[in-house]
């Protein structure tokens, strides 16, 4: 079951930039809204402020 769910997910490349950080990575998500939520929560968990620019590009 988990494998089928993971296969239906898309891979997103994200580039986030803020006053005190720059990030570039890939993450799996089922849609763009979920990907945006994951990126923002990851940035918040790392203790950074809201990004000034955030680009999401679907890869797969």
């Amino acid at each position: 079951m988990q494998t089928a769910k993971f296969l239906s997910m898309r891979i997103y490349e994200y580039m986030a930039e803020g006053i005190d950080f720059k990030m570039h990575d890939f993450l799996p998500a089922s849609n763009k809204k979920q990907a945006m939520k994951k990126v923002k929560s990851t940035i918040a968990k790392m203790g950074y402020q809201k990004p000034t620019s955030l680009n999401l590009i679907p890869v797969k």
Side-chain angles (χ1 to χ4, degrees):
M1 292 282 201
Q2 286 293 80
T3 306
K5 183 179 179 184
F6 184 74
L7 291 175
S8 68
M9 297 181 105
R10 297 183 68 166
I11 303 297
Y12 287 90
E13 177 182 13
Y14 71 89
M15 292 157 279
E17 192 171 323
I19 296 170
D20 55 350
F21 71 93
K22 282 187 180 182
M23 297 174 122
H24 177 235
D25 205 357
F26 298 87
L27 68 106
S30 57
N31 56 40
K32 194 169 186 173
K33 185 177 179 180
Q34 183 188 33
M36 188 73 75
K37 186 176 177 181
K38 283 184 175 184
V39 170
K40 287 181 179 181
S41 70
T42 300
I43 291 170
K45 285 179 187 175
M46 295 175 91
Y48 295 117
Q49 297 296 318
K50 193 172 161 179
T52 55
S53 70
L54 177 59
N55 298 319
L56 281 175
I57 303 165
V59 177
K60 176 188 159 204

